[in-house]
Amino acid sequence: VIFLLSCGFSGHLARTYAKSFAASEIEFDMVAQLSETDFENLGVLSVGHRLRIRKGIAAAICKIIFIYLNIY
């Protein structure tokens, strides 16, 4: 839910998507590998919402890389 909230979704929509992901056993590290069909099957029907989730994944990866580079 926290990730979806950070993507700009309302609390209700974030919880709805999170429940759908959990019911299908989709974990955070799997989201980047989801196809358009996977998103549709999970109930993420809006192209804009799919793009928002993909953008959130890209931002999270960038943060991880930034933290890693500043540690080493």
Side-chain angles (χ1 to χ4, degrees), residues 19-58:
K19 286 178 185 177
S20 178
F21 287 8
S24 293
E25 300 181 20
I26 303 295
E27 297 176 11
F28 177 76
D29 63 328
M30 299 173 179
V31 176
Q33 299 170 16
L34 295 176
S35 69
E36 295 301 305
T37 302
D38 293 332
F39 274 118
E40 290 172 4
N41 291 337
L42 289 164
V44 184
L45 303 178
S46 166
V47 173
H49 287 185
R50 286 181 250 158
L51 291 172
R52 191 181 297 181
I53 292 170
R54 291 189 190 283
K55 183 178 176 183
I57 290 290

Side-chain angles (χ1 to χ4, degrees), residues 4-21:
L4 293 167
L5 289 170
S6 75
C7 291
F9 293 107
S10 68
H12 173 72
L13 197 53
R15 284 189 298 277
T16 299
Y17 287 159
K19 286 178 185 177
S20 178
F21 287 8

